[in-house]
Amino acid sequence: SCTSANLLSTLSKQLNYPKSHLKFIFKYYCRYSQSDYLNLMRLIHALNLINEGYLDNFTIETLGEKCHFNSRTSFYRHFKKHLGVSPSQFSTLIE
């Protein structure tokens, strides 16, 4: 799975820039740390899957796994942080 640390290391090697410099640039331009940005992209993927009916056949836990969150707790925490409700509350709201 793609982690922010792996991504940052790969970019650092390919671009020949120190990781600390890349972290600064990323946060300056994106206004997110690279890990927060990656989690946000994972959540957008989760929302797209929900809109496509993923939860009609699968559980919220498998949705978190499919979107590469490390644990159910991590998925719920980030979901609620960015959307203000838990994944189960969100799925109820869109029905």
Side-chain angles (χ1 to χ4, degrees):
S1 102
C2 181
T3 65
S4 61
N6 291 342
L7 181 61
L8 194 60
S9 292
T10 301
L11 286 173
S12 176
K13 288 175 188 172
Q14 289 181 353
L15 299 173
N16 198 25
Y17 279 102
K19 284 191 247 182
S20 59
H21 184 69
L22 292 176
K23 281 182 181 181
F24 173 79
I25 289 171
F26 195 89
K27 188 154 189 168
Y28 180 82
Y29 286 103
C30 294
R31 303 189 193 272
Y32 289 101
S33 69
Q34 77 280 358
S35 60
D36 284 343
Y37 183 79
L38 186 57
N39 286 322
L40 184 58
M41 293 299 101
R42 289 173 177 155
L43 285 173
I44 290 170
H45 181 57
L47 292 173
N48 287 332
L49 289 172
I50 290 169
N51 287 335
E52 293 170 3
Y54 185 87
L55 294 177
D56 295 342
N57 300 311
F58 299 97
T59 64
I60 291 172
E61 286 76 19
T62 59
L63 175 63
E65 291 171 8
K66 183 161 181 73
C67 295
H68 303 284
F69 282 94
N70 293 332
S71 68
R72 178 185 177 276
T73 305
S74 176
F75 178 53
Y76 273 69
R77 182 171 22 97
H78 289 289
F79 200 99
K80 189 158 188 166
K81 175 183 173 182
H82 288 283
L83 297 167
V85 294
S86 71
S88 53
Q89 291 170 323
F90 184 82
S91 65
T92 303
L93 289 172
I94 62 168
E95 288 179 356

